[in-house]
Amino acid sequence: DVKVTQSSRYLVKRTGEKVFLECVQDMDHENMFWYRQDPGLGLRLIYFSYDVKMKEKGDIPEGYSVSREKKERFSLILESASTNQTSMYLCASSTNRDRDYGYTFGSGTRLTVV
Amino acid sequence: SQQGEEDPQALSIQEGENATMNCSYKTSINNLQWYRQNSGRGLVHLILIRSNEREKHSGRLRVTLDTSKKSSSLLITASRAADTASYFCATPPPGSNYQLIWGAGTKLIIKP
């Protein structure tokens, strides 16, 4: 069964900490995405990557960075966590080989910054 | 940022009834996708309708697309308790091969 795996379902971090959210996909997908989801604000794209070592800013990149050293892994980094980064973080992947397939999402990481 | 509009925002129906939710955009619609999200989980891709299609079926799902009105609808027939979830539409923005513009979502509750 193909899947996208996010390393943690729930995470609690302190303000100012450096936080790493990991995402791994086993489908050989070219494209990977990080979203955050907040009530009333919908899904907002933070960063995406269409190839290894490539990254593009989404709608809300401030306070975040990403790393894609291998095709299957896309990491989201909160350089200095703040309380306004408390949110649900969703990783997704897609392939250009079959656009009908849509995005495959991970189960999400609910991050709380205290 | 860009966002599609979905209505209703919330819908509560009895098990066995049909549920219809609608999605519209300000930009042109290319291939439009629908996703389901169970509470606290990731999204699951349900169906994609191409811009040259008007209607598509998959099991109990029926999707329509009107590119002139920049809108789509998702019909779930004979609803079940397990259909309780939020439903999102998404379409690529013009000129993009990678990104999607997401709808705000419809929260569907099926009452037993």
Side-chain angles (χ1 to χ4, degrees):
Chain A
D1 193 19
V2 295
K3 60 184 180 182
V4 174
T5 303
Q6 293 184 230
S7 52
S8 307
R9 285 295 317 279
Y10 300 94
L11 212 50
V12 180
K13 295 292 181 180
R14 295 196 179 277
T15 301
E17 275 193 78
K18 190 169 186 176
V19 181
F20 293 86
L21 301 183
E22 305 288 347
C23 176
V24 177
Q25 51 96 2
D26 64 1
M27 297 164 286
D28 198 36
H29 282 181
E30 303 86 16
N31 312 314
M32 296 188 75
F33 307 84
W34 275 107
Y35 287 90
R36 65 177 282 178
Q37 186 178 29
D38 302 285
L41 297 176
L43 281 105
R44 292 183 292 168
L45 181 63
I46 305 171
Y47 268 97
F48 69 99
S49 168
Y50 55 87
D51 201 352
V52 177
K53 296 191 187 296
M54 305 302 292
K55 60 185 179 184
E56 294 283 344
K57 293 179 180 178
D59 299 318
I60 51 164
E62 296 79 19
Y64 303 94
S65 62
V66 290
S67 172
R68 193 167 180 202
E69 295 297 315
K70 294 184 178 181
K71 191 175 186 180
E72 66 270 19
R73 186 181 296 270
F74 192 36
S75 304
L76 179 69
I77 303 152
L78 286 65
E79 298 291 343
S80 177
S82 64
T83 54
N84 63 12
Q85 292 179 309
T86 291
S87 186
M88 169 71 104
Y89 289 87
L90 294 166
C91 176
S93 70
S94 73
T95 179
N96 302 326
R97 299 185 296 272
D98 183 359
R99 298 284 169 87
D100 284 7
Y101 200 71
Y103 283 19
T104 302
F105 279 83
S107 296
T109 295
R110 188 165 292 281
L111 173 67
T112 302
V113 182
V114 297
Chain B
S1 63
Q2 304 173 78
Q3 191 176 49
E5 295 180 9
E6 288 194 55
D7 79 274
Q9 288 186 335
L11 180 61
S12 181
I13 60 174
Q14 292 294 140
E15 194 167 20
E17 293 180 341
N18 296 341
T20 300
M21 51 208 89
N22 305 291
C23 165
S24 63
Y25 286 88
K26 292 189 170 73
T27 60
S28 60
I29 293 180
N30 198 347
N31 299 335
L32 187 125
Q33 307 174 36
W34 285 92
Y35 290 77
R36 182 187 73 234
Q37 184 181 32
N38 291 93
S39 180
R41 309 293 294 191
L43 283 76
V44 174
H45 182 250
L46 294 175
I47 193 168
L48 180 148
I49 184 166
R50 295 184 177 280
S51 51
N52 61 356
E53 296 176 308
R54 292 295 169 260
E55 188 170 310
K56 194 166 182 177
H57 296 253
S58 176
R60 293 184 296 113
L61 305 180
R62 175 183 162 234
V63 172
T64 62
L65 181 64
D66 187 332
T67 52
S68 65
K69 293 183 179 177
K70 301 175 187 174
S71 65
S72 174
S73 67
L74 171 67
L75 168 68
I76 303 173
T77 60
S79 62
R80 304 168 182 169
D83 295 328
T84 293
S86 292
Y87 292 82
F88 295 87
C89 60
T91 190
S96 172
N97 289 327
Y98 311 109
Q99 298 184 64
L100 293 174
I101 305 175
W102 293 88
T106 292
K107 187 168 184 177
L108 175 65
I109 296 172
I110 308 299
K111 296 179 285 187

